[in-house]
Amino acid sequence: MAEDPYALLGVEKTASEADIRKAYRKLAKDLHPDLHPGDTTSEERFKQVSAAYHLLSDSEQRARFDRGEIDASGAERPEQHFYRRYADADRGGRYSSSAGHEDFVDLSDVFSDLFGERAAQGQGGGFRAQGGDQRYHLSVDFLDAVMGAKRRITMPDGKALDLTIPAGLKDGAILRLKGKGGAGFGGGPAGDALVEISVDRHPLFTREDDDILLELPISLDEAVLGGKIEVPTVSGRLRVTVPKGSSTGNVLRLKGRGVQPKDRPPGDQRVTLKVVLPDKIDPDLEAFMRDWRQRHGYDPRKEMEIGS
């Protein structure tokens, strides 16, 4: 990737982590290959944007890029590595030459510097190192996050990957896919893919911990007389009873109808009632309410009165 990662994401070099994440999410949604089947230009741009985010979302890699120690693809720039290490050393710590063997360094030290604790000497003098982790972003449907699902996603390199979305997944969660990251060095194991989850909004439901929240409109007669009505839930429609004399703000609790994670008890669905009048008040209703007010009027705000 030759292009500047900051320019690819459309952010300044002083951008915060949140700004970088926000810019990437917008571009990833616009360019994802699933939305542009057969469009090689969008696919290539998606790969470049993803690679830029993977570099800049890693604070250590970002700092190294800003110092010029690695290029935009994340590859090491050896001259920067060695210059930084020796330029500020005292005379005895710098390279010196006497036309002998002092200009050569032990390669095991070099690889140790480059890979740190991840590098290990193998048999026959070879070196093995685990590949780097790679970060991705995935938008998930609200109901898939609540109920769990299996999805096939397209990685930035164009490969398809089957992903299991566990029930109860929360916005911002990170799924670790072992061995799906960067290739290892010298035959070492591949790194992991870290998939950050963004849960889409739902037009009806919201979530609070493991409870599902729903605001349900009811008619005036349903509020007064009560009755059986159908209520949407995350697992399908359910017939429930509205008690007589229900008011806006009353809550019906549907036990076990919330998020159903495998490792803890299921949540509930909380249905908040909202009394909704018809768009147009007909003469019959108006006449009835005038008569009712005269016979049975009451003050619902009497508890709000305060002393003078």
Side-chain angles (χ1 to χ4, degrees):
M1 180 184 67
E3 199 168 341
D4 181 354
Y6 291 102
L8 275 167
L9 295 178
V11 298
E12 300 292 333
K13 288 190 174 183
T14 56
S16 66
E17 291 183 11
D19 291 336
I20 290 173
R21 185 182 305 109
K22 181 178 179 181
Y24 170 68
R25 286 184 174 183
K26 182 179 185 304
L27 289 169
K29 285 185 177 180
D30 293 341
L31 298 171
H32 198 282
D34 290 347
L35 300 178
H36 306 279
D39 186 342
T40 56
T41 301
S42 293
E43 182 177 349
E44 181 59 30
R45 195 67 176 172
F46 176 74
K47 293 178 182 178
Q48 293 175 342
V49 166
S50 296
Y53 175 68
H54 299 153
L55 178 71
L56 298 182
S57 63
D58 185 316
S59 58
E60 181 179 351
Q61 292 289 87
R62 179 183 179 182
R64 295 192 68 199
F65 173 77
D66 290 344
R67 292 195 298 265
E69 297 172 15
I70 57 175
D71 61 22
S73 68
E76 190 81 27
R77 286 175 172 165
E79 70 277 7
Q80 295 291 339
H81 175 80
F82 292 118
Y83 174 79
R84 181 169 59 86
R85 178 171 178 176
Y86 292 104
D88 296 330
D90 57 27
R91 184 175 182 83
R94 299 178 183 174
Y95 280 117
S96 60
S97 177
S98 59
H101 298 289
E102 294 176 357
D103 289 329
F104 296 91
V105 295
D106 185 346
L107 287 178
S108 63
D109 292 337
V110 174
F111 284 110
S112 178
D113 287 342
L114 291 178
F115 295 101
E117 294 181 358
R118 292 184 125 178
Q121 184 170 2
Q123 295 180 353
F127 291 86
R128 301 174 69 251
Q130 182 177 342
D133 293 341
Q134 294 182 340
R135 296 180 178 272
Y136 303 93
H137 172 262
L138 177 66
S139 293
V140 173
D141 180 80
F142 181 91
L143 293 181
D144 285 347
V146 169
M147 307 298 292
K150 291 185 180 294
R151 291 289 178 266
R152 174 161 289 187
I153 62 174
T154 304
M155 307 296 273
D157 59 6
K159 293 181 180 179
L161 182 66
D162 290 325
L163 180 66
T164 297
I165 301 170
L169 195 65
K170 293 184 178 181
D171 186 73
I174 295 179
L175 300 180
R176 179 180 291 272
L177 308 180
K178 298 291 291 184
K180 300 299 183 180
F185 175 81
D192 300 336
L194 305 178
V195 184
E196 182 182 0
I197 299 299
S198 176
V199 179
D200 295 335
R201 293 180 179 272
H202 193 277
L204 299 179
F205 305 117
T206 56
R207 178 176 175 179
E208 184 177 291
D209 297 325
D210 284 338
D211 285 354
I212 296 297
L213 311 184
L214 171 71
E215 185 177 77
L216 184 70
I218 60 173
S219 64
L220 177 61
D221 57 293
E222 288 170 338
V224 173
L225 303 175
K228 294 279 189 180
I229 62 173
E230 284 194 345
V231 175
T233 75
V234 293
S235 56
R237 301 184 74 83
L238 183 68
R239 197 163 179 80
V240 302
T241 299
V242 175
K244 286 184 179 181
S246 292
S247 296
T248 293
N250 288 168
V251 177
L252 308 180
R253 183 178 291 272
L254 310 182
K255 296 292 291 184
R257 291 285 179 169
V259 181
Q260 301 188 18
K262 292 183 178 180
D263 58 348
R264 55 187 183 271
D268 302 329
Q269 177 164 316
R270 287 182 274 154
V271 181
T272 301
L273 301 179
K274 179 181 181 181
V275 180
V276 177
L277 295 177
D279 293 336
K280 185 177 181 180
I281 304 298
D282 63 81
D284 289 344
L285 178 59
E286 185 174 356
F288 171 79
M289 294 309 301
R290 287 184 184 279
D291 180 66
W292 188 91
R293 177 188 287 177
Q294 291 178 356
R295 295 171 180 270
H296 307 285
Y298 69 103
D299 183 2
R301 297 171 295 280
K302 63 181 180 180
E303 300 297 333
M304 299 178 66
E305 293 181 359
I306 59 175
S308 57

